[in-house]
Amino acid sequence: METNLERLWNDAVITKETYEWLKPLHDQETADLEEIKAAAEERKNNPFYQDDDDDDDSDTSNDDEHGNGNGNGNGMMTTSTKTIKGIEGTNTVVSFVTDSNSSGHGNKVWHASIATCRYLKERFLSLTLDGSENKKKNNTSSPFRCLELGAGTAVPSFFLAQMLLLRNQNDARIEEDNYETDQDQDQLQQQQQQQQQQQQQHQNIILRITDAKVYRNVMQILRSVELQESPTKGERCVLHAQKQDSPLRIEVHPHNWGDDNISFGLGTAADDQAADDSEEDTDPLLQHDLVIVSDCIYNPEFHDDLLISLSRTLALPTMDTITTTTTSTTTTTTTTTTANRNEKKSKTKSNGGVAVVSFSLHGNVQDSAIWDFLDQKLPSTMRNNIIDSEVVAWRLHAKCVSTEPQLQTKLQLQTQLQSREEQQPTNEIEAQQQQQQPVIREGWNMESTMIDLGMVTEGMQSERWLAYVYEITWVEA
């Protein structure tokens, strides 16, 4: 499968920096593949063909620690294309590429990824966008930004992209139907205004997909991006997504957890061309409304670095200033009308971003080491910002959402605990006690779901089929 890096750069899928990093590695991979094809053709035509370098085709001895070397092994990707249809009963068709040479176990769809899709469908999409709990509810002109860390196959991001496109198309159909309906003019005008507001909420959506700065990992995602299609029109999602009239923009970025150098949204060809025209092209890099972390905490060695990236990219709560304009009209007996324009400014608090952390207990380390991420390290992660000229300290808070209906009592208990945690602690001891409260440990059994999707793992212990999903938000420290 050929990948046109220059087109991906021009379509703003990758930045100029990423293009310049990938280009020589991709050229070397292409040259190596051509050499192998030529050798194979020579073998076919010449039964006496001999090549002393035959055994070097799979040699990766010259690869560096990132899998970026100059040996014959560089870029020799063993890839396959797979498709998942009807995730969580939706009309989505998600195609993706897996590379057996990618690092970090990101070449497989783990059941925690499908659990993430369940969360996105059942909770995030219904509450955050429709219910306007998102911080953009009072500022619909700002983009909705989503980031996936350690994406691997990036199935949750591709699922979300298709769900958002489906929703946008449904909104367009509803608007068209309303135009054809004979209704009272005032009611029609009111509905049109509401539809315009809903359309604005679904415009300017930026989905950023990241993985470690390893050539095979990033190329795996880029090849998958090129496979995506619009769920109803059959158009290539990437080419469709980068059109000016489309609500969706997909980007792919290499990112090593904990790195200080984060350049999301900078250096794309589109940004370079429009930098002088719009402030929006200089994206606020670290303010994402949704951060997806799917099955990334299986190795405790990377917990601290992951939390650095998560805390820096998840939007903090802010205080937004809203300007409301009112017009009063006075009518006299001479039909003279006088209009007075008044502006009123008010402030409203936004809740900040939401992260979803999903995982399974794979048994590669002690389970307690994985739970330590949620019980100890995550609530100890702090950030500050300024609201109304005062410094406010925030910490990360985890809420279990992978609960069955019969566990509603436990959810209510957790809500009460969260309400107490959000109150300002009266002393350091109380603050420490609140911070050390363990999270509820309930998960979804994903075995039957994975069987229905045709992704079966033989011999897995029953407890390993549980996928735990947690909603992460900022609360005052």
Side-chain angles (χ1 to χ4, degrees):
M1 177 179 178
E2 296 184 1
T3 301
N4 190 327
L5 293 178
E6 185 173 355
R7 186 191 66 184
L8 291 172
W9 174 34
N10 289 329
D11 288 339
V13 178
I14 59 176
T15 64
K16 182 179 180 181
E17 180 183 4
T18 300
Y19 171 81
E20 292 175 346
W21 166 63
L22 288 173
K23 186 64 166 62
L25 299 173
H26 185 258
D27 290 345
Q28 182 63 53
E29 177 188 54
T30 302
D32 290 343
L33 287 173
E34 291 298 325
E35 182 180 345
I36 290 176
K37 290 178 181 178
E41 187 67 21
E42 183 68 19
R43 290 189 186 94
K44 178 180 178 180
N45 297 329
N46 183 1
F48 302 102
Y49 175 82
Q50 292 183 352
D51 188 346
D52 294 337
D53 296 330
D54 280 353
D55 295 334
D56 294 336
D57 286 346
S58 60
D59 180 23
T60 58
S61 59
N62 291 328
D63 288 358
D64 64 18
E65 61 180 349
H66 300 300
N68 306 323
N70 297 318
N72 289 332
N74 177 54
M76 294 298 98
M77 302 180 69
T78 306
T79 61
S80 60
T81 301
K82 301 179 181 179
T83 299
I84 307 177
K85 297 181 179 181
I87 295 177
E88 291 300 308
T90 64
N91 293 328
T92 56
V93 179
V94 177
S95 298
F96 56 94
V97 173
T98 60
D99 172 22
S100 60
N101 290 324
S102 64
S103 66
H105 306 287
N107 52 12
K108 177 180 178 180
V109 178
W110 301 93
H111 44 283
S113 293
I114 305 302
T116 301
C117 295
R118 179 179 298 178
Y119 164 83
L120 293 174
K121 176 197 171 190
E122 299 294 341
R123 183 174 177 85
F124 182 80
L125 285 172
S126 60
L127 294 181
T128 305
L129 294 183
D130 284 346
S132 297
E133 290 184 2
N134 184 267
K135 78 182 185 69
K136 296 294 188 297
K137 64 181 179 180
N138 293 312
N139 189 9
T140 56
S141 63
S142 298
F144 173 86
R145 297 182 179 88
C146 171
L147 170 70
E148 183 169 4
L149 296 170
T153 59
V155 167
S157 288
F158 296 140
F159 173 81
L160 178 62
Q162 292 205 11
M163 291 294 290
L164 291 172
L165 286 176
L166 283 169
R167 173 167 298 186
N168 186 74
Q169 292 163 7
N170 290 335
D171 289 345
R173 280 196 295 269
I174 293 173
E175 183 177 359
E176 183 178 352
D177 292 342
N178 285 336
Y179 272 117
E180 298 174 355
T181 304
D182 185 15
Q183 300 183 60
D184 180 80
Q185 187 65 28
D186 293 338
Q187 182 180 359
L188 180 60
Q189 184 178 2
Q190 183 179 3
Q191 288 187 352
Q192 290 175 356
Q193 293 175 350
Q194 293 175 351
Q195 290 158 7
Q196 289 176 355
Q197 293 175 356
Q198 291 176 355
Q199 185 178 10
Q200 285 179 336
Q201 286 183 339
H202 302 306
Q203 288 177 342
N204 301 324
I205 300 168
I206 301 175
L207 299 184
R208 292 181 174 133
I209 307 173
T210 71
D211 209 336
K213 192 175 182 180
V214 178
Y215 175 74
R216 296 182 179 98
N217 293 35
V218 176
M219 287 301 297
Q220 173 180 276
I221 297 174
L222 288 175
R223 289 182 166 107
S224 295
V225 167
E226 290 186 312
L227 290 175
Q228 304 310 305
E229 293 184 350
S230 175
T232 58
K233 296 183 179 180
E235 299 177 357
R236 285 292 175 91
C237 184
V238 174
L239 300 180
H240 176 71
Q242 313 308 353
K243 295 179 181 178
Q244 291 183 354
D245 60 347
S246 171
L248 180 64
R249 168 173 162 179
I250 296 178
E251 301 175 0
V252 178
H253 301 274
H255 173 66
N256 295 326
W257 299 337
D259 277 2
D260 292 331
N261 182 22
I262 300 180
S263 56
F264 303 150
L266 295 181
T268 62
D271 290 337
D272 292 342
Q273 183 177 1
D276 296 333
D277 300 332
S278 174
E279 295 181 359
E280 200 57 55
D281 289 317
T282 57
D283 226 2
L285 307 182
L286 310 181
Q287 300 298 298
H288 292 83
D289 306 289
L290 173 65
V291 178
I292 298 173
V293 183
S294 183
D295 217 344
C296 291
I297 66 172
Y298 59 87
N299 189 342
E301 292 183 8
F302 298 107
H303 283 181
D304 292 340
D305 287 339
L306 175 58
L307 282 170
I308 290 174
S309 292
L310 173 60
S311 63
R312 290 189 61 208
T313 55
L314 183 63
L316 284 167
T318 59
M319 190 68 71
D320 299 327
T321 301
I322 308 299
T323 301
T324 304
T325 302
T326 59
T327 303
S328 60
T329 304
T330 303
T331 304
T332 67
T333 56
T334 59
T335 68
T336 302
T337 302
T338 303
N340 295 321
R341 182 184 178 90
N342 299 318
E343 290 188 354
K344 180 181 179 181
K345 293 185 177 181
S346 60
K347 292 188 176 181
T348 178
K349 180 180 177 183
S350 62
N351 296 327
V354 175
V356 52
V357 175
S358 65
F359 64 96
S360 297
L361 300 173
H362 298 287
N364 57 306
V365 296
Q366 292 292 326
D367 292 351
S368 58
I370 304 301
W371 288 115
D372 185 62
F373 177 88
L374 290 168
D375 289 336
Q376 301 295 330
K377 293 187 175 181
L378 187 139
S380 300
T381 302
M382 310 277 291
R383 277 187 66 191
N384 299 332
N385 67 348
I386 298 177
I387 296 181
D388 285 342
S389 303
E390 295 184 2
V391 177
V392 181
W394 305 94
R395 66 177 180 85
L396 292 176
H397 172 80
K399 175 183 179 181
C400 181
V401 293
S402 52
T403 52
E404 301 299 339
Q406 61 266 31
L407 298 175
Q408 189 62 32
T409 302
K410 290 187 177 181
L411 266 180
Q412 293 173 354
L413 175 61
Q414 186 177 26
T415 302
Q416 295 173 2
L417 292 175
Q418 180 180 358
S419 177
R420 288 201 297 268
E421 287 182 345
E422 291 175 349
Q423 296 176 0
Q424 186 71 22
T426 57
N427 52 58
E428 294 183 1
I429 296 178
E430 182 180 347
Q432 185 177 6
Q433 290 175 346
Q434 290 181 2
Q435 183 172 320
Q436 294 177 351
Q437 288 178 346
V439 297
I440 292 176
R441 302 180 181 183
E442 297 290 349
W444 289 319
N445 190 312
M446 302 297 294
E447 182 175 10
S448 61
T449 300
M450 299 298 284
I451 291 175
D452 291 341
L453 293 174
M455 295 183 290
V456 183
T457 301
E458 300 291 343
M460 183 178 293
Q461 299 176 0
S462 57
E463 64 269 20
R464 302 303 179 195
W465 279 110
L466 291 178
Y468 303 89
V469 185
Y470 289 83
E471 191 176 71
I472 311 300
T473 54
W474 292 107
V475 297
E476 287 195 51

